[in-house]
Amino acid sequence: GGIITQTPKFLIGQEGQKLTLKCQQNFNHDTMYWYRQDSGKGLRLIYYSITENDLQKGDLSEGYDASREKKSSFSLTVTSAQKNEMAVFLCASIAGSSAETLYFGSGTRLTVL
Amino acid sequence: AQSVTQPDARVTVSEGASLQLRCKYSYSGTPYLFWYVQYPRQGLQLLLKYYSGDPVVQGVNGFEAEFIKSNSSFHLRKASVHWSDSAVYFCAVSAGTNAYKVIFGKGTHLHVLP
């Protein structure tokens, strides 16, 4: 088995701040994802990466940057945190094709003061 | 582009009752379809998935779902729910030329009364 580790678990930022979230997986999976989970809005896709150094925009990419410099890691940057923003960011990975199971990390909870 | 609609934000049933959680997708071809569950204070995990073959797929813990192409639906069912089934259930779809793009619905919060 494997695991997806997201750091930090809790992130508190100030309005306008640039914030970086990190994700590591030891499944040796090719494809990785970042989703944002808000109450009542489900999971919205921010970025995904099919392989190392690949980046694909999801439906919610505005306001975010991503980086996949190694197969095992995928980071997400909030370019300018919005005041009163609260959300959980989930990282996930799959082995190969999109018919495979997504494995999720436990999330990073963001609060912007 | 594909999309997923879960029309019920919240469903409440009594323990032992049958359950159906609705999911409709938008895509002209045959998509890959999934149901994931998020138990309180836990991460998301797969319940079941469909990508070909028998349109009725079995999942864990007695859950099943039926792919009905003519209705663009993939409803989740369980014959008899238990209080431990209380969780948030997400339907998801991936399809087409951009098959790595996995899109989730807004989720249905299931509350089972003991």
Side-chain angles (χ1 to χ4, degrees), chain B residues 1-52:
Chain B
Q2 68 266 37
S3 65
V4 179
T5 301
Q6 293 181 249
D8 305 308
R10 192 172 184 89
V11 170
T12 300
V13 297
S14 297
E15 192 168 33
S18 63
L19 171 71
Q20 177 172 278
L21 301 181
R22 295 184 291 167
C23 172
K24 296 203 74 171
Y25 66 90
S26 173
Y27 178 64
S28 58
T30 300
Y32 300 137
L33 295 160
F34 309 83
W35 276 98
Y36 285 83
V37 60
Q38 187 176 36
Y39 296 106
R41 295 171 297 282
Q42 294 186 31
L44 276 88
Q45 51 193 281
L46 182 74
L47 268 182
L48 47 81
K49 62 183 177 183
Y50 170 84
Y51 49 91
S52 67

Side-chain angles (χ1 to χ4, degrees), chain A residues 5 7 29 38 40 42 46 48 53 58 68 70 73 79 94 97 100 102 109 112:
Chain A
T5 303
T7 55
H29 285 171
D38 295 89
I46 306 172
Y48 61 106
N53 292 319
R68 181 96 184 272
K70 292 193 303 183
S73 66
T79 57
I94 57 173
S97 75
E100 297 300 322
L102 273 167
R109 185 175 295 273
V112 182

Side-chain angles (χ1 to χ4, degrees), chain A residues 94-110:
Chain A
I94 57 173
S97 75
S98 55
E100 297 300 322
T101 301
L102 273 167
Y103 290 89
F104 283 87
S106 57
T108 292
R109 185 175 295 273
L110 172 67

Side-chain angles (χ1 to χ4, degrees), chain A residues 3-7 21-25 27 31-37 43 46-47 68 72-76 88-94 102-108, chain B residues 43-44:
Chain A
I3 191 168
I4 294 181
T5 303
Q6 291 188 238
T7 55
L21 293 70
K22 294 186 182 298
C23 176
Q24 294 267 354
Q25 54 98 357
F27 289 102
T31 306
M32 297 184 73
Y33 300 79
W34 276 108
Y35 288 91
R36 175 180 166 130
Q37 184 175 16
L43 276 68
I46 306 172
Y47 269 97
R68 181 96 184 272
S72 62
S73 66
F74 192 29
S75 62
L76 180 73
V88 176
F89 292 84
L90 296 172
C91 178
S93 69
I94 57 173
L102 273 167
Y103 290 89
F104 283 87
S106 57
T108 292
Chain B
L44 276 88

